[in-house]
Amino acid sequence: MVAPGVAAAQRSRASGAALAEARRFLCPHGGTPMRGGRCRPGTGADPDVTGWDRDLPAPSHAQAPCPPGTRAAGTAQPGVTRCVPG
């Protein structure tokens, strides 16, 4: 026997729009939510984020100097510089 509240909760289903919104929130890059808090990569890109990096320069994989108006602050990780206002 199942309690009345549990039976009603099991019968209710979220709408397709609500499920799509939840997927977009949990996996913003077009993936599918999985157990354990991870996202399975999507088969296609979300049109809202496609090309966000188009005008950025290629990564140099080297520490860049802090931009004007900021200063370097130490971190617990060797070789890493954190730029903070000041």
Side-chain angles (χ1 to χ4, degrees):
M1 180 168 201
V2 178
V6 174
Q10 289 174 345
R11 284 191 306 263
S12 67
R13 298 257 175 180
S15 69
L19 291 173
E21 185 61 32
R23 282 190 193 102
R24 222 177 352 268
F25 176 79
L26 294 170
C27 299
H29 302 294
T32 302
M34 295 174 40
R35 290 179 192 242
R38 295 188 210 147
C39 292
R40 180 181 7 220
T43 56
D46 185 345
D48 293 336
V49 297
T50 301
W52 67 269
D53 59 344
R54 186 172 295 127
D55 296 328
L56 295 177
S60 65
H61 302 290
Q63 180 69 51
C66 289
T70 63
R71 63 178 176 79
T75 65
Q77 299 174 346
V80 174
T81 301
R82 183 175 169 193
C83 300
V84 296

